[in-house]
PDB file of all heavy atoms in Angstrom:
ATOM      1  N   GLU A 441      -7.154  -7.342 -40.668  1.00 95.00           N
ATOM      2  CA  GLU A 441      -7.278  -8.246 -41.851  1.00 95.00           C
ATOM      3  C   GLU A 441      -7.939  -9.544 -41.245  1.00 95.00           C
ATOM      4  O   GLU A 441      -7.397 -10.634 -41.502  1.00 95.00           O
ATOM      5  CB  GLU A 441      -5.971  -8.487 -42.416  1.00 95.00           C
ATOM      6  CG  GLU A 441      -5.376  -7.183 -42.959  1.00 95.00           C
ATOM      7  CD  GLU A 441      -3.915  -7.598 -43.492  1.00 95.00           C
ATOM      8  OE1 GLU A 441      -3.460  -8.767 -43.464  1.00 95.00           O
ATOM      9  OE2 GLU A 441      -3.265  -6.621 -44.064  1.00 95.00           O
ATOM     10  N   ILE A 442      -9.102  -9.449 -40.703  1.00 96.00           N
ATOM     11  CA  ILE A 442      -9.822 -10.667 -40.122  1.00 96.00           C
ATOM     12  C   ILE A 442     -10.336 -11.523 -41.227  1.00 96.00           C
ATOM     13  O   ILE A 442     -10.978 -10.994 -42.199  1.00 96.00           O
ATOM     14  CB  ILE A 442     -10.903 -10.114 -39.235  1.00 96.00           C
ATOM     15  CG1 ILE A 442     -10.380  -9.316 -38.046  1.00 96.00           C
ATOM     16  CG2 ILE A 442     -11.704 -11.339 -38.650  1.00 96.00           C
ATOM     17  CD1 ILE A 442      -9.474 -10.025 -37.174  1.00 96.00           C
ATOM     18  N   ARG A 443     -10.040 -12.727 -41.234  1.00 95.00           N
ATOM     19  CA  ARG A 443     -10.544 -13.634 -42.215  1.00 95.00           C
ATOM     20  C   ARG A 443     -11.753 -14.258 -41.713  1.00 95.00           C
ATOM     21  O   ARG A 443     -12.054 -14.413 -40.475  1.00 95.00           O
ATOM     22  CB  ARG A 443      -9.475 -14.766 -42.373  1.00 95.00           C
ATOM     23  CG  ARG A 443      -8.137 -14.102 -42.941  1.00 95.00           C
ATOM     24  CD  ARG A 443      -7.023 -15.095 -42.884  1.00 95.00           C
ATOM     25  NE  ARG A 443      -5.712 -14.351 -43.146  1.00 95.00           N
ATOM     26  CZ  ARG A 443      -4.545 -14.905 -43.031  1.00 95.00           C
ATOM     27  NH1 ARG A 443      -4.325 -16.067 -42.435  1.00 95.00           N
ATOM     28  NH2 ARG A 443      -3.434 -14.182 -43.449  1.00 95.00           N
ATOM     29  N   PRO A 444     -12.558 -14.948 -42.685  1.00 94.00           N
ATOM     30  CA  PRO A 444     -13.816 -15.474 -42.285  1.00 94.00           C
ATOM     31  C   PRO A 444     -13.726 -16.610 -41.196  1.00 94.00           C
ATOM     32  O   PRO A 444     -12.648 -17.264 -41.063  1.00 94.00           O
ATOM     33  CB  PRO A 444     -14.348 -16.190 -43.564  1.00 94.00           C
ATOM     34  CG  PRO A 444     -13.668 -15.390 -44.663  1.00 94.00           C
ATOM     35  CD  PRO A 444     -12.297 -15.073 -44.102  1.00 94.00           C
ATOM     36  N   PRO A 445     -14.713 -16.702 -40.228  1.00 92.00           N
ATOM     37  CA  PRO A 445     -14.575 -17.630 -39.126  1.00 92.00           C
ATOM     38  C   PRO A 445     -14.406 -19.093 -39.632  1.00 92.00           C
ATOM     39  O   PRO A 445     -13.859 -19.916 -38.826  1.00 92.00           O
ATOM     40  CB  PRO A 445     -15.905 -17.416 -38.529  1.00 92.00           C
ATOM     41  CG  PRO A 445     -16.823 -16.694 -39.313  1.00 92.00           C
ATOM     42  CD  PRO A 445     -15.956 -15.961 -40.337  1.00 92.00           C
ATOM     43  N   GLU A 446     -14.803 -19.495 -40.879  1.00 93.00           N
ATOM     44  CA  GLU A 446     -14.625 -20.769 -41.245  1.00 93.00           C
ATOM     45  C   GLU A 446     -13.239 -21.106 -41.686  1.00 93.00           C
ATOM     46  O   GLU A 446     -12.807 -22.245 -41.785  1.00 93.00           O
ATOM     47  CB  GLU A 446     -15.561 -21.182 -42.422  1.00 93.00           C
ATOM     48  CG  GLU A 446     -15.381 -20.279 -43.584  1.00 93.00           C
ATOM     49  CD  GLU A 446     -16.322 -19.072 -43.580  1.00 93.00           C
ATOM     50  OE1 GLU A 446     -16.762 -18.764 -42.494  1.00 93.00           O
ATOM     51  OE2 GLU A 446     -16.553 -18.381 -44.499  1.00 93.00           O
ATOM     52  N   VAL A 447     -12.433 -19.927 -41.940  1.00 95.00           N
ATOM     53  CA  VAL A 447     -10.962 -20.048 -42.249  1.00 95.00           C
ATOM     54  C   VAL A 447     -10.198 -20.017 -41.088  1.00 95.00           C
ATOM     55  O   VAL A 447      -9.158 -20.885 -40.873  1.00 95.00           O
ATOM     56  CB  VAL A 447     -10.564 -18.871 -43.208  1.00 95.00           C
ATOM     57  CG1 VAL A 447      -9.050 -18.967 -43.629  1.00 95.00           C
ATOM     58  CG2 VAL A 447     -11.395 -18.957 -44.451  1.00 95.00           C
ATOM     59  N   GLU A 448     -10.295 -19.104 -40.157  1.00 96.00           N
ATOM     60  CA  GLU A 448      -9.497 -19.051 -38.923  1.00 96.00           C
ATOM     61  C   GLU A 448     -10.295 -18.627 -37.756  1.00 96.00           C
ATOM     62  O   GLU A 448     -11.325 -17.906 -37.747  1.00 96.00           O
ATOM     63  CB  GLU A 448      -8.352 -18.065 -39.147  1.00 96.00           C
ATOM     64  CG  GLU A 448      -8.733 -16.690 -39.202  1.00 96.00           C
ATOM     65  CD  GLU A 448      -7.505 -15.674 -39.238  1.00 96.00           C
ATOM     66  OE1 GLU A 448      -6.416 -16.180 -39.420  1.00 96.00           O
ATOM     67  OE2 GLU A 448      -7.592 -14.504 -39.192  1.00 96.00           O
ATOM     68  N   ALA A 449      -9.970 -19.042 -36.560  1.00 97.00           N
ATOM     69  CA  ALA A 449     -10.494 -18.843 -35.266  1.00 97.00           C
ATOM     70  C   ALA A 449      -9.827 -17.566 -34.543  1.00 97.00           C
ATOM     71  O   ALA A 449      -8.557 -17.730 -34.483  1.00 97.00           O
ATOM     72  CB  ALA A 449     -10.582 -19.942 -34.427  1.00 97.00           C
ATOM     73  N   VAL A 450     -10.515 -16.619 -34.313  1.00 98.00           N
ATOM     74  CA  VAL A 450      -9.890 -15.331 -33.783  1.00 98.00           C
ATOM     75  C   VAL A 450     -10.184 -15.422 -32.251  1.00 98.00           C
ATOM     76  O   VAL A 450     -11.251 -15.658 -31.807  1.00 98.00           O
ATOM     77  CB  VAL A 450     -10.529 -14.013 -34.374  1.00 98.00           C
ATOM     78  CG1 VAL A 450     -10.009 -12.892 -33.592  1.00 98.00           C
ATOM     79  CG2 VAL A 450     -10.301 -14.081 -35.800  1.00 98.00           C
ATOM     80  N   ALA A 451      -9.046 -15.148 -31.533  1.00 98.00           N
ATOM     81  CA  ALA A 451      -9.015 -14.892 -30.108  1.00 98.00           C
ATOM     82  C   ALA A 451      -8.464 -13.572 -29.829  1.00 98.00           C
ATOM     83  O   ALA A 451      -7.318 -13.205 -30.264  1.00 98.00           O
ATOM     84  CB  ALA A 451      -8.291 -16.044 -29.375  1.00 98.00           C
ATOM     85  N   VAL A 452      -9.098 -12.784 -28.867  1.00 98.00           N
ATOM     86  CA  VAL A 452      -8.604 -11.555 -28.496  1.00 98.00           C
ATOM     87  C   VAL A 452      -8.259 -11.674 -26.912  1.00 98.00           C
ATOM     88  O   VAL A 452      -8.904 -12.231 -26.186  1.00 98.00           O
ATOM     89  CB  VAL A 452      -9.636 -10.402 -28.649  1.00 98.00           C
ATOM     90  CG1 VAL A 452      -9.068  -9.171 -28.116  1.00 98.00           C
ATOM     91  CG2 VAL A 452     -10.008 -10.278 -30.072  1.00 98.00           C
ATOM     92  N   ASN A 453      -7.065 -11.127 -26.640  1.00 98.00           N
ATOM     93  CA  ASN A 453      -6.461 -11.257 -25.327  1.00 98.00           C
ATOM     94  C   ASN A 453      -6.071  -9.875 -24.668  1.00 98.00           C
ATOM     95  O   ASN A 453      -5.413  -9.080 -25.375  1.00 98.00           O
ATOM     96  CB  ASN A 453      -5.206 -12.132 -25.318  1.00 98.00           C
ATOM     97  CG  ASN A 453      -4.619 -12.370 -24.048  1.00 98.00           C
ATOM     98  OD1 ASN A 453      -5.036 -13.039 -23.089  1.00 98.00           O
ATOM     99  ND2 ASN A 453      -3.511 -11.740 -23.678  1.00 98.00           N
ATOM    100  N   SER A 454      -6.471  -9.590 -23.459  1.00 98.00           N
ATOM    101  CA  SER A 454      -6.146  -8.396 -22.835  1.00 98.00           C
ATOM    102  C   SER A 454      -5.756  -8.693 -21.323  1.00 98.00           C
ATOM    103  O   SER A 454      -6.551  -9.131 -20.603  1.00 98.00           O
ATOM    104  CB  SER A 454      -7.414  -7.445 -22.781  1.00 98.00           C
ATOM    105  OG  SER A 454      -7.101  -6.237 -22.000  1.00 98.00           O
ATOM    106  N   VAL A 455      -4.506  -8.455 -21.035  1.00 98.00           N
ATOM    107  CA  VAL A 455      -4.011  -8.650 -19.713  1.00 98.00           C
ATOM    108  C   VAL A 455      -3.582  -7.236 -19.031  1.00 98.00           C
ATOM    109  O   VAL A 455      -2.629  -6.597 -19.500  1.00 98.00           O
ATOM    110  CB  VAL A 455      -2.909  -9.626 -19.696  1.00 98.00           C
ATOM    111  CG1 VAL A 455      -2.276  -9.782 -18.199  1.00 98.00           C
ATOM    112  CG2 VAL A 455      -3.192 -11.009 -20.128  1.00 98.00           C
ATOM    113  N   PHE A 456      -4.379  -6.833 -18.141  1.00 97.00           N
ATOM    114  CA  PHE A 456      -4.112  -5.505 -17.421  1.00 97.00           C
ATOM    115  C   PHE A 456      -4.103  -4.376 -18.368  1.00 97.00           C
ATOM    116  O   PHE A 456      -3.218  -3.425 -18.304  1.00 97.00           O
ATOM    117  CB  PHE A 456      -2.723  -5.613 -16.639  1.00 97.00           C
ATOM    118  CG  PHE A 456      -2.695  -6.645 -15.543  1.00 97.00           C
ATOM    119  CD1 PHE A 456      -1.354  -7.240 -15.281  1.00 97.00           C
ATOM    120  CD2 PHE A 456      -3.733  -7.069 -14.987  1.00 97.00           C
ATOM    121  CE1 PHE A 456      -1.318  -8.185 -14.246  1.00 97.00           C
ATOM    122  CE2 PHE A 456      -3.729  -8.062 -14.042  1.00 97.00           C
ATOM    123  CZ  PHE A 456      -2.569  -8.677 -13.614  1.00 97.00           C
ATOM    124  N   GLU A 457      -5.007  -4.302 -19.393  1.00 97.00           N
ATOM    125  CA  GLU A 457      -5.001  -3.373 -20.430  1.00 97.00           C
ATOM    126  C   GLU A 457      -6.290  -2.564 -20.419  1.00 97.00           C
ATOM    127  O   GLU A 457      -6.324  -1.269 -20.539  1.00 97.00           O
ATOM    128  CB  GLU A 457      -4.708  -3.884 -21.765  1.00 97.00           C
ATOM    129  CG  GLU A 457      -3.353  -4.453 -22.044  1.00 97.00           C
ATOM    130  CD  GLU A 457      -2.154  -3.445 -21.993  1.00 97.00           C
ATOM    131  OE1 GLU A 457      -2.509  -2.270 -22.282  1.00 97.00           O
ATOM    132  OE2 GLU A 457      -1.117  -3.808 -21.602  1.00 97.00           O
ATOM    133  N   PHE A 458      -7.439  -3.152 -20.125  1.00 98.00           N
ATOM    134  CA  PHE A 458      -8.666  -2.496 -20.248  1.00 98.00           C
ATOM    135  C   PHE A 458      -8.913  -1.364 -19.203  1.00 98.00           C
ATOM    136  O   PHE A 458      -9.585  -0.486 -19.644  1.00 98.00           O
ATOM    137  CB  PHE A 458      -9.881  -3.572 -20.062  1.00 98.00           C
ATOM    138  CG  PHE A 458     -10.216  -4.330 -21.344  1.00 98.00           C
ATOM    139  CD1 PHE A 458      -9.450  -4.067 -22.489  1.00 98.00           C
ATOM    140  CD2 PHE A 458     -11.228  -5.225 -21.292  1.00 98.00           C
ATOM    141  CE1 PHE A 458      -9.792  -4.680 -23.712  1.00 98.00           C
ATOM    142  CE2 PHE A 458     -11.658  -5.847 -22.503  1.00 98.00           C
ATOM    143  CZ  PHE A 458     -10.891  -5.724 -23.752  1.00 98.00           C
ATOM    144  N   HIS A 459      -8.351  -1.503 -18.089  1.00 98.00           N
ATOM    145  CA  HIS A 459      -8.559  -0.415 -17.092  1.00 98.00           C
ATOM    146  C   HIS A 459      -7.913   0.894 -17.441  1.00 98.00           C
ATOM    147  O   HIS A 459      -8.472   1.879 -17.074  1.00 98.00           O
ATOM    148  CB  HIS A 459      -8.048  -0.907 -15.707  1.00 98.00           C
ATOM    149  CG  HIS A 459      -6.596  -1.000 -15.614  1.00 98.00           C
ATOM    150  ND1 HIS A 459      -5.941  -2.223 -15.811  1.00 98.00           N
ATOM    151  CD2 HIS A 459      -5.664  -0.055 -15.446  1.00 98.00           C
ATOM    152  CE1 HIS A 459      -4.590  -2.060 -15.686  1.00 98.00           C
ATOM    153  NE2 HIS A 459      -4.368  -0.726 -15.555  1.00 98.00           N
ATOM    154  N   ARG A 460      -6.934   0.820 -18.370  1.00 96.00           N
ATOM    155  CA  ARG A 460      -6.307   2.113 -18.753  1.00 96.00           C
ATOM    156  C   ARG A 460      -7.222   2.891 -19.698  1.00 96.00           C
ATOM    157  O   ARG A 460      -7.040   3.981 -19.826  1.00 96.00           O
ATOM    158  CB  ARG A 460      -4.938   1.868 -19.472  1.00 96.00           C
ATOM    159  CG  ARG A 460      -4.059   0.974 -18.550  1.00 96.00           C
ATOM    160  CD  ARG A 460      -2.755   0.521 -19.228  1.00 96.00           C
ATOM    161  NE  ARG A 460      -1.932   1.697 -19.482  1.00 96.00           N
ATOM    162  CZ  ARG A 460      -0.970   2.169 -18.799  1.00 96.00           C
ATOM    163  NH1 ARG A 460      -0.732   1.628 -17.651  1.00 96.00           N
ATOM    164  NH2 ARG A 460      -0.194   3.119 -19.135  1.00 96.00           N
ATOM    165  N   LEU A 461      -8.103   2.213 -20.341  1.00 97.00           N
ATOM    166  CA  LEU A 461      -9.114   2.912 -21.262  1.00 97.00           C
ATOM    167  C   LEU A 461     -10.112   3.732 -20.619  1.00 97.00           C
ATOM    168  O   LEU A 461     -10.689   4.540 -21.090  1.00 97.00           O
ATOM    169  CB  LEU A 461      -9.854   1.774 -22.044  1.00 97.00           C
ATOM    170  CG  LEU A 461      -8.822   0.992 -23.085  1.00 97.00           C
ATOM    171  CD1 LEU A 461      -9.706  -0.225 -23.502  1.00 97.00           C
ATOM    172  CD2 LEU A 461      -8.546   1.870 -24.179  1.00 97.00           C
ATOM    173  N   LEU A 462     -10.305   3.422 -19.168  1.00 97.00           N
ATOM    174  CA  LEU A 462     -11.259   4.179 -18.427  1.00 97.00           C
ATOM    175  C   LEU A 462     -10.848   5.733 -18.200  1.00 97.00           C
ATOM    176  O   LEU A 462     -11.677   6.467 -17.881  1.00 97.00           O
ATOM    177  CB  LEU A 462     -11.511   3.484 -17.053  1.00 97.00           C
ATOM    178  CG  LEU A 462     -11.936   2.058 -17.255  1.00 97.00           C
ATOM    179  CD1 LEU A 462     -12.172   1.472 -15.855  1.00 97.00           C
ATOM    180  CD2 LEU A 462     -13.301   1.965 -18.097  1.00 97.00           C
ATOM    181  N   ALA A 463      -9.563   5.972 -18.499  1.00 95.00           N
ATOM    182  CA  ALA A 463      -9.071   7.321 -18.411  1.00 95.00           C
ATOM    183  C   ALA A 463      -9.576   8.169 -19.587  1.00 95.00           C
ATOM    184  O   ALA A 463      -9.569   9.439 -19.495  1.00 95.00           O
ATOM    185  CB  ALA A 463      -7.625   7.468 -18.182  1.00 95.00           C
ATOM    186  N   ARG A 464     -10.045   7.475 -20.580  1.00 95.00           N
ATOM    187  CA  ARG A 464     -10.357   8.204 -21.898  1.00 95.00           C
ATOM    188  C   ARG A 464     -11.919   8.074 -21.972  1.00 95.00           C
ATOM    189  O   ARG A 464     -12.449   6.908 -22.126  1.00 95.00           O
ATOM    190  CB  ARG A 464      -9.656   7.659 -22.978  1.00 95.00           C
ATOM    191  CG  ARG A 464     -10.064   8.235 -24.372  1.00 95.00           C
ATOM    192  CD  ARG A 464      -9.009   7.687 -25.457  1.00 95.00           C
ATOM    193  NE  ARG A 464      -9.557   8.036 -26.806  1.00 95.00           N
ATOM    194  CZ  ARG A 464      -8.801   7.931 -27.856  1.00 95.00           C
ATOM    195  NH1 ARG A 464      -7.537   7.352 -27.843  1.00 95.00           N
ATOM    196  NH2 ARG A 464      -9.182   8.223 -29.004  1.00 95.00           N
ATOM    197  N   PRO A 465     -12.688   9.262 -21.957  1.00 95.00           N
ATOM    198  CA  PRO A 465     -14.160   9.052 -22.130  1.00 95.00           C
ATOM    199  C   PRO A 465     -14.524   8.222 -23.353  1.00 95.00           C
ATOM    200  O   PRO A 465     -14.034   8.563 -24.500  1.00 95.00           O
ATOM    201  CB  PRO A 465     -14.545  10.489 -22.177  1.00 95.00           C
ATOM    202  CG  PRO A 465     -13.375  11.245 -21.509  1.00 95.00           C
ATOM    203  CD  PRO A 465     -12.244  10.538 -21.740  1.00 95.00           C
ATOM    204  N   GLY A 466     -15.367   7.215 -23.211  1.00 96.00           N
ATOM    205  CA  GLY A 466     -15.909   6.504 -24.252  1.00 96.00           C
ATOM    206  C   GLY A 466     -14.792   5.499 -24.812  1.00 96.00           C
ATOM    207  O   GLY A 466     -15.121   4.824 -25.751  1.00 96.00           O
ATOM    208  N   GLY A 467     -13.605   5.309 -24.216  1.00 97.00           N
ATOM    209  CA  GLY A 467     -12.561   4.461 -24.702  1.00 97.00           C
ATOM    210  C   GLY A 467     -12.905   3.002 -24.596  1.00 97.00           C
ATOM    211  O   GLY A 467     -12.738   2.254 -25.588  1.00 97.00           O
ATOM    212  N   ILE A 468     -13.439   2.583 -23.441  1.00 97.00           N
ATOM    213  CA  ILE A 468     -13.665   1.055 -23.401  1.00 97.00           C
ATOM    214  C   ILE A 468     -14.802   0.707 -24.249  1.00 97.00           C
ATOM    215  O   ILE A 468     -14.796  -0.371 -24.844  1.00 97.00           O
ATOM    216  CB  ILE A 468     -13.943   0.772 -21.866  1.00 97.00           C
ATOM    217  CG1 ILE A 468     -14.239  -0.721 -21.718  1.00 97.00           C
ATOM    218  CG2 ILE A 468     -15.311   1.558 -21.338  1.00 97.00           C
ATOM    219  CD1 ILE A 468     -12.886  -1.549 -22.023  1.00 97.00           C
ATOM    220  N   GLU A 469     -15.776   1.598 -24.479  1.00 97.00           N
ATOM    221  CA  GLU A 469     -16.971   1.405 -25.261  1.00 97.00           C
ATOM    222  C   GLU A 469     -16.446   1.170 -26.799  1.00 97.00           C
ATOM    223  O   GLU A 469     -16.905   0.331 -27.456  1.00 97.00           O
ATOM    224  CB  GLU A 469     -17.937   2.361 -25.258  1.00 97.00           C
ATOM    225  CG  GLU A 469     -18.731   2.378 -23.898  1.00 97.00           C
ATOM    226  CD  GLU A 469     -18.041   3.114 -22.766  1.00 97.00           C
ATOM    227  OE1 GLU A 469     -16.869   3.752 -22.990  1.00 97.00           O
ATOM    228  OE2 GLU A 469     -18.405   3.028 -21.601  1.00 97.00           O
ATOM    229  N   LYS A 470     -15.559   2.039 -27.123  1.00 97.00           N
ATOM    230  CA  LYS A 470     -14.986   1.987 -28.525  1.00 97.00           C
ATOM    231  C   LYS A 470     -14.278   0.662 -28.722  1.00 97.00           C
ATOM    232  O   LYS A 470     -14.462   0.051 -29.845  1.00 97.00           O
ATOM    233  CB  LYS A 470     -14.085   3.222 -28.713  1.00 97.00           C
ATOM    234  CG  LYS A 470     -13.264   3.156 -29.981  1.00 97.00           C
ATOM    235  CD  LYS A 470     -14.119   3.166 -31.351  1.00 97.00           C
ATOM    236  CE  LYS A 470     -13.300   3.612 -32.535  1.00 97.00           C
ATOM    237  NZ  LYS A 470     -12.222   2.647 -32.737  1.00 97.00           N
ATOM    238  N   VAL A 471     -13.533   0.332 -27.871  1.00 98.00           N
ATOM    239  CA  VAL A 471     -12.633  -0.923 -28.082  1.00 98.00           C
ATOM    240  C   VAL A 471     -13.571  -2.193 -27.996  1.00 98.00           C
ATOM    241  O   VAL A 471     -13.473  -3.144 -28.826  1.00 98.00           O
ATOM    242  CB  VAL A 471     -11.652  -1.096 -26.858  1.00 98.00           C
ATOM    243  CG1 VAL A 471     -11.001  -2.443 -26.929  1.00 98.00           C
ATOM    244  CG2 VAL A 471     -10.529   0.004 -26.973  1.00 98.00           C
ATOM    245  N   LEU A 472     -14.575  -2.223 -27.207  1.00 98.00           N
ATOM    246  CA  LEU A 472     -15.335  -3.371 -27.106  1.00 98.00           C
ATOM    247  C   LEU A 472     -16.280  -3.559 -28.427  1.00 98.00           C
ATOM    248  O   LEU A 472     -16.538  -4.551 -28.986  1.00 98.00           O
ATOM    249  CB  LEU A 472     -16.381  -3.312 -26.001  1.00 98.00           C
ATOM    250  CG  LEU A 472     -15.788  -3.552 -24.659  1.00 98.00           C
ATOM    251  CD1 LEU A 472     -16.799  -3.374 -23.508  1.00 98.00           C
ATOM    252  CD2 LEU A 472     -15.127  -4.831 -24.519  1.00 98.00           C
ATOM    253  N   SER A 473     -16.536  -2.276 -29.006  1.00 97.00           N
ATOM    254  CA  SER A 473     -17.296  -2.154 -30.378  1.00 97.00           C
ATOM    255  C   SER A 473     -16.328  -2.722 -31.468  1.00 97.00           C
ATOM    256  O   SER A 473     -16.884  -3.542 -32.307  1.00 97.00           O
ATOM    257  CB  SER A 473     -17.745  -0.858 -30.678  1.00 97.00           C
ATOM    258  OG  SER A 473     -18.264  -0.730 -31.878  1.00 97.00           O
ATOM    259  N   THR A 474     -15.039  -2.437 -31.365  1.00 97.00           N
ATOM    260  CA  THR A 474     -14.126  -2.929 -32.531  1.00 97.00           C
ATOM    261  C   THR A 474     -13.940  -4.535 -32.276  1.00 97.00           C
ATOM    262  O   THR A 474     -13.907  -5.154 -33.195  1.00 97.00           O
ATOM    263  CB  THR A 474     -12.791  -2.213 -32.198  1.00 97.00           C
ATOM    264  OG1 THR A 474     -12.824  -0.894 -32.384  1.00 97.00           O
ATOM    265  CG2 THR A 474     -11.623  -2.767 -33.084  1.00 97.00           C
ATOM    266  N   ILE A 475     -14.024  -4.942 -30.938  1.00 97.00           N
ATOM    267  CA  ILE A 475     -13.804  -6.437 -30.816  1.00 97.00           C
ATOM    268  C   ILE A 475     -15.006  -7.193 -31.389  1.00 97.00           C
ATOM    269  O   ILE A 475     -14.957  -8.177 -32.021  1.00 97.00           O
ATOM    270  CB  ILE A 475     -13.633  -6.736 -29.366  1.00 97.00           C
ATOM    271  CG1 ILE A 475     -12.286  -6.049 -28.859  1.00 97.00           C
ATOM    272  CG2 ILE A 475     -13.664  -8.194 -29.019  1.00 97.00           C
ATOM    273  CD1 ILE A 475     -12.208  -6.255 -27.376  1.00 97.00           C
ATOM    274  N   LYS A 476     -16.215  -6.720 -31.223  1.00 96.00           N
ATOM    275  CA  LYS A 476     -17.405  -7.193 -31.722  1.00 96.00           C
ATOM    276  C   LYS A 476     -17.388  -7.344 -33.231  1.00 96.00           C
ATOM    277  O   LYS A 476     -17.776  -8.414 -33.732  1.00 96.00           O
ATOM    278  CB  LYS A 476     -18.631  -6.460 -31.273  1.00 96.00           C
ATOM    279  CG  LYS A 476     -19.069  -6.602 -29.814  1.00 96.00           C
ATOM    280  CD  LYS A 476     -20.387  -5.761 -29.567  1.00 96.00           C
ATOM    281  CE  LYS A 476     -21.567  -6.250 -30.399  1.00 96.00           C
ATOM    282  NZ  LYS A 476     -22.802  -5.599 -30.083  1.00 96.00           N
TER     283      LYS A 476
END
Side-chain angles (χ1 to χ4, degrees):
E441 301 176 357
I442 301 298
R443 297 162 188 167
E446 59 271 14
V447 176
E448 69 177 8
V450 176
V452 178
N453 180 75
S454 173
V455 176
F456 301 153
E457 295 294 334
F458 274 3
H459 67 264
R460 303 173 70 88
L461 292 165
L462 302 178
R464 177 170 172 170
I468 186 65
E469 292 79 7
K470 170 65 166 55
V471 169
L472 292 178
S473 176
T474 299
I475 296 173
K476 283 183 62 177

